[in-house]
Amino acid sequence: MDGAPIDDGFPAERLFKQGYSYTYDDVIFLPHYIDFPTDSVQLSTKLTRNLNLSIPCVASPMDTVTESSMAVAMAALGGIGIVHSNNSPSDQAAIIRSAKSHRIPFVSDLIFKSPSDSIDSVWEFGSSPTCILVTESGTRKSKLLGVVTKSDWEALNDKQARVSDYMVKSTISAPSDYDLEQVAVFLAAKNLEFVPLVNEKDGQVVDVVSATDVDRIRGFPKLGMPSMGSDGKFMVGAAIGTRESDKERLEQLVKAGANVIVLDSSQGNSSYQIDMIKYVMKTYPELDVIGGNVVTMNQAHNLIQAGVGGLRVGMGSGSICTTQEVCAVGRGQATAVYKVSSIAERSGVPVIADGGISNSGHIVKALVLGASTVMMGSFLAGSNEAPGAYEYQGGHRVKKYRGMGSLEAMMKGSDARYLGDTAKLKIAQGVVGAVADKGSVLKFLPYNMQAVKQGFQDLGASSLQSAHELLRSSVLRLEVRSGAAQVEGGVHGLVSYEKKSF
């Protein structure tokens, strides 16, 4: 037997030709040879032909996942957030501008009052940890005049007094383009507990940062370089549809500074999307556009021919998506990612694996099967940065998470992504649910990226490019897992346990 070739497992090409629709849990990679440490694994990648990211993570354009706070946090970590379009064009553009005005990876819930206003209740301070801001008009879009701290208001004898009677006139602010360390130095030098960050061009308040905020952010794990655009600001993406009115939305988003546009459709292989791709490329030739969603090689081929800069892969694989159940179309996500990536690679078009991500192992599988990035919805929902307020269900702290195909989301306009905005009868392709509190993405995403690095090390791949080459050359092998093997591969046989990933 010495010298005889060892044939173990299946190459991806053979496995995915068997006529089965596999998802991530159905398949498992066989380990390869390790000759490098975990920390030498590089996760830098491409989002599109022209845009690079430090980590392969994209926040999904869902109205319970990505608005300003998520976009800022993702860019700070080296990924990117795609702001949803289930709102008015002006509201979506405002979210883009807000995210791009930040240099520090969080967005405070700012409360504004005018000098003639009064503060009737402590609840008016909301979740603001520091103060209420006083501006000329009582909105963000006017000059900062002063601040009211909760302790100052609580010490008042006359709670009905006008704000101007007791506010602390603010003459100290810092430029909004200060990064975290610059703000830290500023606070220490001025011996301040907090400082408003003001845009020097228009005088608008962008955020308020406290010394406590600085310490908290410094305590989070560090990742790669932040995602910065050519304008020197955080990179932020935006979703649009394929209706004629989306051309006007697109114009506002470009003016707001969107770095990439995602055509948000559950089935992207359509004349509507191809026409919109061509329109975006002709009107804004410097702007990358991501097409999708697709799950087949033919779908991908059509959008590649139209000129997309990236492809979004997945149909019915999201935890809140019922497309496969309702419409009987879609594909297992592992098969979809492999098939689309195999044709996209020939044209140098990066693939975004969208949906089905529940753990770091799923991220490893998506990336090794050919994706350049993973788009996450439920994985990020429930975090501090996701839109919405926390509530309690059965003793658990949760946030609402809904599919863009749910009736609730469709009533706000998301049915356009299912080409159903003109239909008299609305058919849901998603549900409304809740996701457990996950804390800050600034904490749990770095830990998950470290787990991904360990997965790559076990596979003998020191980078995404190396993993793709090992897969295409049949060096990496896979097998299908039986139901019993899937159970065995998880926690089993215990009366009780507590699962902590980090």
Side-chain angles (χ1 to χ4, degrees), residues 21-24 62 264-268 292-296 299 312-334 336-337 353-358 378 401 403-405 417-418 428-431:
S21 192
Y22 295 123
T23 192
Y24 296 135
M62 304 173 72
D264 194 20
S265 175
S266 67
Q267 213 284 53
N293 281 24
V294 297
V295 293
T296 73
Q299 284 182 301
R312 189 174 166 198
V313 177
M315 191 173 187
S317 55
S319 62
I320 38 64
C321 186
T322 60
T323 298
Q324 293 184 21
E325 175 185 322
V326 172
C327 300
V329 292
R331 202 172 203 174
Q333 189 67 340
V337 170
D354 174 23
I357 300 295
S358 299
S378 64
Y401 176 54
M404 298 307 283
R417 75 187 302 272
Y418 297 87
Q429 295 184 41
V431 300

Side-chain angles (χ1 to χ4, degrees), residues 186-247:
F186 188 92
L187 288 169
K190 302 289 185 180
N191 195 28
L192 300 173
E193 291 185 9
F194 63 87
V195 62
L197 303 185
V198 176
N199 188 318
E200 293 185 310
K201 290 184 179 180
D202 55 24
Q204 292 186 25
V205 180
V206 171
D207 216 331
V208 175
V209 182
S210 69
T212 302
D213 294 326
V214 171
D215 291 340
R216 178 173 59 87
I217 296 172
R218 280 175 166 173
F220 290 136
K222 299 296 184 290
L223 270 181
M225 295 294 292
S227 301
M228 308 295 288
S230 58
D231 56 3
K233 300 178 180 179
F234 280 158
M235 281 206 306
V236 182
I240 66 170
T242 56
R243 297 164 296 185
E244 190 65 24
S245 60
D246 281 296
K247 294 178 180 178

Side-chain angles (χ1 to χ4, degrees), residues 172-474:
I172 300 179
S173 62
S176 60
D177 61 359
Y178 269 18
D179 62 23
L180 183 68
E181 293 308 317
Q182 288 174 308
V183 170
V185 170
F186 188 92
L187 288 169
K190 302 289 185 180
N191 195 28
L192 300 173
E193 291 185 9
F194 63 87
V195 62
L197 303 185
V198 176
N199 188 318
E200 293 185 310
K201 290 184 179 180
D202 55 24
Q204 292 186 25
V205 180
V206 171
D207 216 331
V208 175
V209 182
S210 69
T212 302
D213 294 326
V214 171
D215 291 340
R216 178 173 59 87
I217 296 172
R218 280 175 166 173
F220 290 136
K222 299 296 184 290
L223 270 181
M225 295 294 292
S227 301
M228 308 295 288
S230 58
D231 56 3
K233 300 178 180 179
F234 280 158
M235 281 206 306
V236 182
I240 66 170
T242 56
R243 297 164 296 185
E244 190 65 24
S245 60
D246 281 296
K247 294 178 180 178
E248 298 176 10
R249 179 184 290 268
L250 174 65
E251 181 181 1
Q252 291 197 41
L253 297 176
V254 171
K255 289 180 178 178
N259 299 94
V260 61
I261 294 296
V262 173
L263 299 187
D264 194 20
S265 175
S266 67
Q267 213 284 53
N269 185 28
S270 69
S271 59
Y272 315 107
Q273 181 154 149
I274 290 172
D275 289 344
M276 183 61 83
I277 291 168
K278 292 178 179 178
Y279 173 82
V280 175
M281 293 180 63
K282 180 180 179 181
T283 311
Y284 305 101
E286 301 301 316
L287 183 65
D288 274 14
V289 58
I290 295 170
N293 281 24
V294 297
V295 293
T296 73
M297 298 173 77
N298 283 328
Q299 284 182 301
H301 175 74
N302 286 343
L303 298 190
I304 291 170
Q305 290 294 103
V308 289
L311 282 169
R312 189 174 166 198
V313 177
M315 191 173 187
S317 55
S319 62
I320 38 64
C321 186
T322 60
T323 298
Q324 293 184 21
E325 175 185 322
V326 172
C327 300
V329 292
R331 202 172 203 174
Q333 189 67 340
T335 300
V337 170
Y338 175 75
K339 290 289 189 179
V340 173
S341 297
S342 63
I343 190 171
E345 181 270 334
R346 303 174 196 170
S347 303
V349 175
V351 162
I352 303 170
D354 174 23
I357 300 295
S358 299
N359 52 55
S360 57
H362 290 163
I363 298 175
V364 173
K365 290 176 182 178
L367 296 175
V368 177
L369 287 172
S372 293
T373 56
V374 293
M375 180 173 279
M376 298 172 287
S378 64
F379 197 78
L380 302 176
S383 66
N384 297 347
E385 291 78 10
Y390 286 109
E391 55 187 69
Y392 284 88
Q393 290 185 7
H396 299 286
R397 194 167 186 250
V398 301
K399 269 189 182 180
K400 177 187 286 188
Y401 176 54
R402 68 185 183 191
M404 298 307 283
S406 66
L407 287 177
E408 185 175 284
M410 290 170 75
M411 296 307 292
K412 291 188 65 177
S414 70
D415 52 347
R417 75 187 302 272
Y418 297 87
L419 304 179
D421 52 329
T422 59
K424 293 181 180 179
L425 300 178
K426 306 295 184 185
I427 305 299
Q429 295 184 41
V431 300
V432 178
V435 178
D437 176 13
K438 296 178 180 176
S440 175
V441 297
L442 298 172
K443 181 177 183 180
F444 72 76
L445 204 53
Y447 280 103
N448 277 282
M449 288 300 99
Q450 184 65 21
V452 170
K453 287 185 176 183
Q454 291 178 3
F456 270 61
Q457 183 194 37
D458 285 339
L459 293 171
S462 59
S463 66
L464 271 71
Q465 296 73 24
S466 171
H468 294 169
E469 291 169 4
L470 289 170
L471 188 78
R472 286 193 297 267
S473 64
S474 298

Side-chain angles (χ1 to χ4, degrees), residues 57-73:
C57 299
V58 184
S60 181
M62 304 173 72
D63 58 9
T64 50
V65 177
T66 308
E67 291 187 349
S68 184
S69 291
M70 183 65 75
V72 168

